[in-house]
Amino acid sequence: MTTRLPLAALFAVLLAGTASAQMARTEPQEAPGKDAAGKQVPLSRGEVQLSFAPVVKRAAPSVVNVYASHVDKRSSARTSAMEEFMRRFFGEPDGGRGPRGERAQKSLGSGVLVDGSGLVITNAHVIDNMNEVRVALADRREFEASIVLRDSRTDLAVIRIKEPPAGLNPMPFGDPDRLEVGDFVMAIGNPFGVGQTVTQGIVSALARTQVGSADYQYFIQTDAAINPGNSGGALVNLQGQLVGINTAIYSQSGGSHGIGFAIPVSMVKAVVTAAKDGLTVVRRPWLGARVQNVTPDIADSMGLDHPTGVLVASLQAKSPAEEAGLKRGDLILSVDGQVVDDPEAFGYRFALKGITGQTKLGILRGTARQTVVVKLGTAPETRPRETLKVRSRSPFLGASFVNTSPAVAEDLQVDFTVDGVAVESVDENSFAARAGLLKGDVVVAVNGTPIAATKDLDRVMRTMPGSWEIVINRGGEVMTSVFAG
């Protein structure tokens, strides 16, 4: 049976066909599955059977194994009673010491050659507390290495092969702004110490900020399998370029479940540049403002259709933020045009700006969008730190203290609202740890005596009081604790 179209409908179909033909003649069409950046999904069985081997051959020689150890040399005369007890009753030879009373800890990880002079980037936690490092190349040649720089805030470290051989293959850096969710990537490292291994996957997400393995949280998430020993290894793109340093996995059992995280190459470049400049620490720009998340309620009150940016909660006097004209309540939306959605993303973007020149912050003040120019520089150390390591019996035993300043606040990643003495570190299982002291606490007073500097705290401790009344400022909250002498 033949269906007859009404005359009007037939006329519409003819017009549509004519228009389609005209568009086909005048508008260039992209290949199926291909985007404007030239990236394309496989279109045939032959393309699916393509191999990643050429990429691996380019990238694998740049990935090394890192063997680190901490050797604590002690003489037999200094053997403690506990070590003697362990030796006699649990059979540890020499109380757990090696030859000549040496006690050793070991660590295994991966690294990436980033310079022909023998510079290697790895994770800081791979060499944490280690004093002896060896590097094994992909061809199994081993070399002694020295530690150039450790940056716990990014969980990155740079080591240098002491006598680098000729013909090293440093890995080129990729363009971090071209990496997209869905791109193929490969993780190359030494999982479980079995030897160099390559796993393949895709970029699952970008700008992950709730991982918890470093202060600057802005990670690439990938489903390429990352296992213990992969730490410090390379995440590479299909051009054989470094796009990230593998650093963490999300796992409840210790195995890989397809959720791995890598530090973006932009942060890696900043740390490597510091090492090449001869620095032993990474110096970062100081803003002098505390920022906070934008909640849905705050976004609604500011007329935003969704939460974005970071809210300026407070400003330090004479800081770059104050001098640039930032005000409490301003909403920072971008750093040099790069959108920021939370404090972690803002901290990451701002840290990459370096310590010279200036940067532009896009802000929302009320209903008006503005741009402020912030001068870049390091936080000032307005007074000497005068570090005090407490070794006498007191609630402070095992803690280190420094005088507060903008530089100390920046190092400890806290916002000091008062002058005093800050807790720089607390030894694990020490008296200070059991007393509840935390890194970043500010001791305001002890037994009614104001503590303005470490020398004041030292003077009070020398009196050996029978009890301790300690006043601490923790993030603006003042707490008082009493301890027996």
Side-chain angles (χ1 to χ4, degrees), residues 4-29:
R4 295 172 182 251
L5 289 173
L7 184 59
L10 180 61
F11 184 64
V13 169
L14 289 172
L15 283 177
T18 303
S20 297
Q22 183 68 21
M23 289 176 63
R25 287 194 299 271
T26 59
E27 295 185 7
Q29 298 294 307

Side-chain angles (χ1 to χ4, degrees), residues 20 45 70 88 154 163 167 190 215 227 272 332 347 363 372-373 377 387 397 428 442 466:
S20 297
R45 181 189 180 99
H70 180 90
R88 289 187 178 184
T154 58
E163 297 180 3
N190 185 22
D215 287 350
N227 292 292
V272 171
I332 302 175
I363 69 168
V372 297
V373 178
T387 303
L397 178 60
E428 190 177 357
V442 178

Side-chain angles (χ1 to χ4, degrees), residues 395-420:
F396 302 121
L397 178 60
S400 289
F401 298 87
V402 291
N403 295 328
T404 58
S405 70
V408 170
E410 189 72 10
D411 289 347
L412 300 183
Q413 286 293 280
V414 294
D415 181 30
F416 294 141
T417 57
V418 294
D419 289 332

Side-chain angles (χ1 to χ4, degrees), residues 128-149:
D128 191 29
N129 296 321
M130 302 297 168
N131 55 18
E132 294 185 5
V133 182
R134 293 186 67 83
V135 168
L137 303 182
D139 60 11
R140 299 188 180 183
R141 287 181 295 168
E142 291 192 14
F143 302 89
E144 289 187 8
S146 58
I147 298 171
V148 177
L149 182 154

Side-chain angles (χ1 to χ4, degrees), residues 228-249:
N230 267 125
S231 290
L235 190 72
V236 303
N237 60 20
L238 294 192
Q239 289 72 49
Q241 299 168 329
L242 184 69
V243 296
I245 293 295
N246 302 319
T247 189
I249 58 174

Side-chain angles (χ1 to χ4, degrees), residues 208-436:
R208 288 297 196 214
T209 58
Q210 302 299 320
V211 179
S213 66
D215 287 350
Y216 291 102
Q217 306 233 358
Y218 201 79
F219 293 93
I220 301 166
Q221 182 182 325
T222 177
D223 67 349
I226 297 175
N227 292 292
N230 267 125
S231 290
L235 190 72
V236 303
N237 60 20
L238 294 192
Q239 289 72 49
Q241 299 168 329
L242 184 69
V243 296
I245 293 295
N246 302 319
T247 189
I249 58 174
Y250 177 81
S251 175
Q252 294 179 335
S253 64
S256 174
H257 297 321
I259 304 178
F261 300 97
I263 300 168
V265 69
S266 48
M267 184 61 78
V268 174
K269 289 166 70 174
V271 174
V272 171
T273 298
K276 286 183 176 181
D277 290 342
L279 300 177
T280 56
V281 295
V282 180
R283 301 172 67 195
R284 297 182 174 86
W286 177 52
L287 180 64
R290 184 169 61 86
V291 298
Q292 67 180 55
N293 269 312
V294 176
T295 65
D297 288 341
I298 293 174
D300 186 60
S301 69
M302 300 187 75
L304 301 173
D305 56 6
H306 67 281
T308 186
V310 293
L311 197 67
V312 177
S314 64
L315 297 164
Q316 294 185 35
K318 300 180 181 179
S319 65
E322 185 184 69
E323 292 174 357
L326 276 175
K327 299 181 183 300
R328 187 174 180 272
D330 284 346
L331 185 67
I332 302 175
L333 300 172
S334 63
V335 179
D336 275 344
Q338 296 281 351
V339 175
V340 293
D341 286 326
D342 52 41
E344 289 79 13
F346 172 77
Y348 174 83
R349 291 292 181 190
F350 189 72
L352 292 178
K353 296 292 112 179
I355 57 174
T356 59
Q358 58 188 29
T359 188
K360 295 180 180 179
L361 304 183
I363 69 168
L364 179 66
R365 180 175 295 165
T367 58
R369 291 180 181 260
Q370 303 178 27
T371 298
V372 297
V373 178
V374 176
K375 185 179 179 181
L376 299 171
T378 56
E381 196 149 304
T382 51
R383 57 176 178 159
R385 300 194 180 206
E386 296 177 344
T387 303
L388 173 65
K389 176 70 174 180
V390 179
R391 293 183 173 86
S392 59
R393 186 176 179 86
S394 73
F396 302 121
L397 178 60
S400 289
F401 298 87
V402 291
N403 295 328
T404 58
S405 70
V408 170
E410 189 72 10
D411 289 347
L412 300 183
Q413 286 293 280
V414 294
D415 181 30
F416 294 141
T417 57
V418 294
D419 289 332
V421 172
V423 179
E424 184 180 41
S425 65
V426 181
D427 294 341
E428 190 177 357
N429 298 322
S430 64
F431 274 43
R434 291 195 291 272

